[in-house]
Amino acid sequence: MTNITHHNQKATEKVENNSPTQNQQYMSSNITRKRRGAISSEPLGDQPATPLPLIPKTAETQKRLEQALSKNIMFNHLEEEERNTIYSAMDEALYKAGDIIIKQGDEGDLFYVVDKGICDIYVSTNGSTPTLVMEVFEGGSFGELALIYGSPRAATVIARTDVRLWALNGSTYRRILMDQTIRKRRLYEEFLEKVSILRHIDKYERVSLADALEPCSFHDGEVIVRQGEPGDKFYIIVDGKVKVTQETTPGDPSTTQVVSELKSSDYFGEIALLTNRPRAATVTSVGNTKCVEMDRQRFNRILGPCENILRRNIETYSQYINKISASPTLASQKI
Amino acid sequence: MGHNNNSNNSNNNRSNRNQTAWISPLSSPPQGNVYTNIPNSTTYTFGSNNSNPNNSNNNNSNNKHSPLTSATDRLTKMDIEEKWDNKTYEKDEREKSPVFHISTSNFNSFGNLKVPGSFSLFNKDENNKPHLPTIPQDQPLKEQPEQTTSNNKPHVSLLHAHSTYQPSNVKEHITSPIYEQHQLSTKEIEHQKKLQEQHTSSATTSTTTSSATSPTKSQQSLQQAQQQQAQQPRVNTFFLPPPQNARERLKEFKQIRVIGTGTFGKVYLIQNTKDGSFYAMKCLSKAYVVQLKQVEHLNSEKSILSSIHHPFIVNLYQAFQDEKKLYLLFEYVAGGEVFTHLRKSMKFSNSTAKFYAAEIVLALEFLHKQNIVYRDLKPENLLIDNEGHIKITDFGFAKRVEDRTFTLCGTPEYLAPEIIQSRGHGKAVDWWALGILIFEMLAGYPPFYDDDTFAIYNKILAGRITFPLGFDVDAKDLIKRLLTADRTRRLGALRDGAQDVKNHRWFSDINWERLYQRKDPGPFIPSIKHEGDSSNFELYEEENMVDDPPSPNYVDPYANFFKDF
């Protein structure tokens, strides 16, 4: 449990050492010869639905937290909404100079970000007197292990000066992530239910698909798919609007017509799941949009070829096969 | 089945007890030994037209019922029969001393009776799991390079090939070629599967043999059909119901020594005082389990192990509790942990690691098919039996999961990225762990290692693996494909599941059928000098397995948590 910068250093150290030396190092270390114990966080299933702490942050604080946690592996994979919920759940903790914030060996469930002040980290190995191993300045953090599971603290942290910290409870963090993941997945499943080309997948397949959708976002005016270009990806709109336009004479921009406008829960580009034939229209983002995408190769890895899924129902199958083989210039064609 | 919904556990378990292993073909037990305790049981067969449902009901032999109706007929009959059998069993139990009828050590791994009291190295009771005998000449097995027996002479059981036990008292019918191949239609197989799955959770069996004259033809072919399909879900036919009195039951065993500290408890080597067979007993203190919030995990462990059965998974025989502790009675696997052997020999050869990895692949395939995710794969949880095969142990984190679960658990070096990032995880984590395991077996150390636990997680998420020199090229490729953070690319987590892993070129010289049937011994036979030899296990601090009973007015504060244990 050390400052995040310390971790990053270790992780990026190039381990060039191959065969015997590394093995010897590993084998000679006492820790490695011991059987490794397992770890576990509490099962989250039966938790009573206590409301999450909600402590609104000023814009400035928000920015500082963003900066502090941008490289933290426990936060950089989160989406903006999740991050904001987490920031709101962080509680202020004040300590005077000389206070012990964390003691080595204690049960620990809190993760701290230093807002103001300096903290010192001491580690005592095998009962020896604690030695200073690291200092944590503004923007630094400690106690990450609590986010993953509650475990005895690996070090003692003492405030060198008066400090102002933001504390996040590990179980709160996990709950936020779990809630968000479940909520998003349900949303995607609902979206997927509406996609007619995927009408005949079963629940388990839909869930696997929902899990594999990748979020993507577009700014105003950005072209998502372009008419005439080969297509690999299928999109569902989560948030925002898009404009579908088509050149009735391909290659002649003056014949551009607006075909339709799509909004949240609408989808486009699903033919890409079957084939990469050229896109039938252009889709442009109106304002900022958030979508989720899936490409054909990924789809095939998870569910097998889309064609096989279509074959489950001969009507749907012929409908789509005809669509593909028909001319792509009709305005009513799906993209 | 109607009475399955009856949540009376002991009732279901008792019916289970009445059915001896479906591979036990004897009409009557051999003379003069403990087998006399085996109560009569009935034959239940499904999915076939021409079987004899039981001795007293011989009327339908030539009825061309559809498999479905004959099966349901039999279900209703079983309903009635079991209730009848239950009554006799209860009567027996009250009259006799509490010796459980299946002294499981009397069956060796393949469910064949062994000569009691023999200490031959290969008649170990560690491997007491029934196994389907197959009739090789009828089986469409894959091309096997060395066919040790000629095709005319049927050999009894595939594993017996390596046993010194002479199966003289096994009836001829088991090897007799009079049973013609009866190919079950897929529909019948499907139905059979469905029925089995229904029974899996309540631990009643759907296929059993009896002490009737012979396994019926359809049953044999059923078993063959089962074999043909890779590893059907198989119920744990050896699981016994909880004893009437836990303390009395515990008194039947003598504690030898502590042979392991499981994740949240101790494991003892014990010996049954009545017949001298050895077992492993895992004891956990209820207070400790509740304090560490592992109640759900423990109930899950017991519920899963009591219902599954697989050659490469350690067998659970019984689960019970007293006022303060929980007890799980397992088969004793004398060869020790893979962990010990791996550390001793620094690393394993390519072929050794491949053998163990392949057996684990089969076990994972089996578990995943039943929507069970194991979540604690590591060398410490793999035991080696007397024939050198793997036995996966410690199901403390195993869970039936439809698709996602969120509780973080596992061992730091083996955690998949999605577990660390609290995104919810599923069966794919077992395949990641397999990648770590294969690397560790071949290199001697895990790919992501650091003194600081959090740094391990950093490395896992960064995903950079450095292979030592001389690493097998195919193994390297497989490991890379298993250690993929993207679950839509991870081998084993794709559409074809375990089959993708089995088809990988590192496993190209593995014959999966043979492996599953344990035809060839493992690459390393542990030194086991006698049945209760525990020299392959490390020394631990000793502790009494059984404590003195608490005062009579002690009320178990945790009784509620372990109601279904």
Side-chain angles (χ1 to χ4, degrees), chain A residues 43-303:
Chain A
L44 292 168
D46 312 312
Q47 295 262 316
T50 53
L52 290 171
L54 189 65
I55 300 137
K57 307 284 181 296
T58 63
E60 206 212 310
T61 313
Q62 194 103 326
K63 209 171 68 167
R64 279 216 294 275
L65 283 171
E66 274 279 355
Q67 230 175 4
L69 299 173
S70 59
K71 294 238 178 46
N72 193 315
I73 56 165
M74 302 303 297
F75 294 88
N76 59 9
H77 61 97
L78 302 179
E79 285 184 35
E80 199 183 321
E81 203 188 321
E82 290 160 331
R83 273 206 293 271
N84 289 337
T85 319
I86 287 181
Y87 298 153
S88 320
M90 295 182 89
D91 206 358
E92 195 190 46
L94 298 166
Y95 288 92
K96 294 238 166 301
D99 280 348
I100 299 177
I101 305 168
I102 290 177
K103 212 153 86 165
Q104 186 170 346
D106 277 354
E107 280 289 316
D109 199 26
L110 292 173
F111 161 74
Y112 296 95
V113 178
V114 179
D115 197 40
K116 281 191 179 51
I118 304 175
C119 297
D120 293 327
I121 303 185
Y122 296 85
V123 175
S124 141
T125 39
N126 303 328
S128 66
T129 47
T131 44
L132 179 66
V133 295
M134 182 108 330
E135 304 159 321
V136 190
F137 300 99
E138 281 177 31
S141 58
F142 53 90
E144 282 95 353
L145 220 50
L147 294 176
I148 308 185
Y149 53 95
S151 70
R153 297 297 197 180
T156 307
V157 183
I158 302 182
R160 194 194 298 180
T161 64
D162 288 353
V163 293
R164 182 184 187 219
L165 309 168
W166 292 112
L168 177 64
N169 195 306
S171 41
T172 308
Y173 168 88
R174 285 190 291 278
R175 224 180 92 196
I176 293 175
L177 254 58
M178 181 175 83
D179 286 347
Q180 292 281 8
T181 310
I182 292 179
R183 202 180 55 83
K184 246 195 298 187
R185 212 145 43 88
R186 248 184 234 134
L187 188 69
Y188 296 164
E189 279 177 59
E190 270 173 35
F191 288 167
L192 285 171
E193 272 165 20
K194 295 199 197 145
V195 180
S196 65
I197 202 178
L198 301 173
R199 218 181 299 148
H200 301 292
I201 58 178
D202 64 42
K203 176 117 198 339
Y204 183 77
E205 290 171 323
R206 196 174 306 125
V207 161
S208 311
L209 210 53
D211 251 348
L213 291 170
E214 305 241 275
C216 51
S217 49
F218 304 95
H219 50 82
D220 188 30
E222 196 174 337
V223 172
I224 307 175
V225 302
R226 202 180 290 278
Q227 180 173 359
E229 284 182 354
D232 260 352
K233 294 191 188 184
F234 153 66
Y235 298 87
I236 305 181
I237 303 171
V238 177
D239 217 9
K241 289 212 226 324
V242 302
K243 183 173 63 177
V244 182
T245 57
Q246 197 178 44
E247 295 170 3
T248 39
T249 320
D252 187 354
S254 59
T255 59
T256 311
Q257 294 182 350
V258 175
V259 174
S260 58
E261 285 199 351
L262 302 174
K263 56 186 193 327
S264 170
S265 94
D266 289 334
Y267 60 93
F268 56 93
E270 78 277 15
I271 297 293
L273 294 178
L274 275 173
T275 160
N276 69 345
R277 65 127 214 226
R279 300 288 197 184
T282 304
V283 178
T284 319
S285 170
V286 175
N288 290 331
T289 38
K290 285 207 218 106
C291 300
V292 283
E293 66 178 26
M294 162 78 60
D295 63 66
R296 187 174 56 253
Q297 290 84 358
R298 175 177 279 236
F299 184 94
N300 288 350
R301 285 197 300 270
I302 308 173
L303 295 189

Side-chain angles (χ1 to χ4, degrees), chain A residues 41-49 175 178, chain B residues 296 399 405-407:
Chain A
S41 70
E42 71 290 341
L44 292 168
D46 312 312
Q47 295 262 316
R175 224 180 92 196
M178 181 175 83
Chain B
E296 207 174 293
K399 183 173 178 179
T405 180
F406 286 86
T407 314

Side-chain angles (χ1 to χ4, degrees), chain B residues 50-155:
Chain B
N50 299 327
S51 52
N52 278 337
N54 58 49
N55 298 336
S56 52
N57 241 337
N58 245 338
N59 40 6
N60 289 336
S61 27
N62 282 327
N63 249 342
K64 293 282 180 204
H65 286 162
S66 84
L68 197 62
T69 50
S70 48
T72 44
D73 277 347
R74 240 150 273 126
L75 282 176
T76 9
K77 285 187 195 117
M78 179 143 97
D79 221 340
I80 304 166
E81 297 305 331
E82 278 184 345
K83 290 202 180 111
W84 180 83
D85 278 345
N86 274 341
K87 290 218 192 77
T88 36
Y89 164 67
E90 278 167 48
K91 195 158 73 86
D92 286 343
E93 205 181 36
R94 261 179 268 124
E95 287 169 10
K96 299 196 170 105
S97 58
V99 173
F100 282 79
H101 74 302
I102 297 175
S103 178
T104 47
S105 58
N106 296 305
F107 295 93
N108 68 11
S109 0
F110 314 82
N112 290 283
L113 299 166
K114 67 172 193 192
V115 178
S118 80
F119 282 113
S120 156
L121 211 63
F122 294 103
N123 286 348
K124 289 297 170 214
D125 54 321
E126 297 87 273
N127 309 325
N128 272 331
K129 332 148 327 314
H131 180 80
L132 292 178
T134 54
I135 300 173
Q137 69 274 28
D138 290 343
Q139 266 203 324
L141 290 176
K142 270 197 252 181
E143 248 322 302
Q144 282 140 45
E146 2 80 36
Q147 192 66 294
T148 47
T149 58
S150 69
N151 272 341
N152 333 340
K153 179 167 161 274
H155 52 79

Side-chain angles (χ1 to χ4, degrees), chain B residues 312-323:
Chain B
F312 305 134
I313 296 177
V314 72
N315 209 34
L316 175 70
Y317 291 131
Q318 198 174 36
F320 54 95
Q321 54 184 298
D322 65 9
E323 302 84 0

Side-chain angles (χ1 to χ4, degrees), chain B residues 436-499:
Chain B
I436 307 264
L437 181 75
I438 295 177
F439 184 100
E440 183 167 348
M441 287 198 288
L442 289 172
Y445 54 89
F448 307 110
Y449 172 72
D450 197 289
D451 287 325
D452 175 17
T453 318
F454 202 75
I456 300 179
Y457 299 141
N458 258 317
K459 290 187 178 172
I460 292 174
L461 292 173
R464 284 192 67 225
I465 313 166
T466 310
F467 291 93
L469 297 171
F471 217 84
D472 181 282
V473 175
D474 293 334
K476 223 194 274 196
D477 182 80
L478 175 62
I479 291 172
K480 283 196 201 146
R481 288 179 199 273
L482 290 169
L483 297 185
T484 307
D486 183 354
R487 273 169 286 175
T488 68
R489 283 181 205 274
R490 191 179 303 164
L491 215 60
L494 306 179
R495 183 165 194 285
D496 294 330
Q499 197 54 48

